[in-house]
Amino acid sequence: MTRMPSDAAFSPTDAVAALVAVTACEADPSRGDAAAADLAEVVRAAARADLAAVWMHDPREAEGRLVAAPGVLEEAHPALVEAVAAAGEITRERALGGDDPLSVALAALGAPEGLAIPLAPLSRGLLVVAGAAPELDEELRGHAVHAGALRI
């Protein structure tokens, strides 16, 4: 799935700082989408990923929506929305990088490796963290990504 950083690239101090940044991010639910966008950005940075995307699908709504996508150019949003919608409801965390529509769309954006992490079940949401070589296998950075997913 993802490459483990070399010993020379690994810095425990940086990884701890990434985890602290995610847990300290001001994500008051009263801020709505802005809070989710802030968390998506710190998760993206923590994983050293090229992009992160937060998708929510309120069961009262006919369709889901892209809440935040740091690292994704505005003109690429429609393709990402189409791919996430085509992926359907993802109920378990899964690696990205195959030939499914979401992985193919992310690869076209230059982010061929990553994770899709379901969010709170009632939101039918999804956090996607991906890049050319995100550091998702490094333990502290992985904890940071999962802590962010829990906070969104």
Side-chain angles (χ1 to χ4, degrees), residues 110-124:
E113 298 178 7
L115 286 176
I117 303 170
L119 300 175
L122 291 179
S123 74
R124 293 193 290 177

Side-chain angles (χ1 to χ4, degrees), residues 4-19:
M4 186 65 137
S6 69
D7 289 340
F10 177 71
S11 167
T13 303
D14 290 346
V16 168
L19 180 58

Side-chain angles (χ1 to χ4, degrees), residues 27-129:
D28 186 330
S30 68
R31 293 180 51 234
D33 291 355
D38 289 349
L39 279 165
E41 177 55 39
V42 295
V43 165
R44 185 198 62 74
R48 293 188 173 163
D50 297 315
L51 66 87
V54 177
W55 175 265
M56 296 289 181
H57 188 168
D58 185 325
R60 300 169 293 188
E61 306 270 330
E63 297 179 358
R65 65 189 178 89
L66 187 63
V67 173
V72 179
L73 297 174
E74 191 73 32
E75 57 266 17
H77 282 196
L80 182 57
V81 166
E82 185 178 323
V84 174
E89 188 173 357
I90 295 176
T91 59
R92 291 185 165 190
E93 179 178 317
R94 70 175 175 92
L96 299 168
D99 59 359
D100 61 281
L102 182 55
S103 294
V104 170
L106 291 168
L109 294 173
E113 298 178 7
L115 286 176
I117 303 170
L119 300 175
L122 291 179
S123 74
R124 293 193 290 177
L126 186 66
L127 171 64
V128 173
V129 182

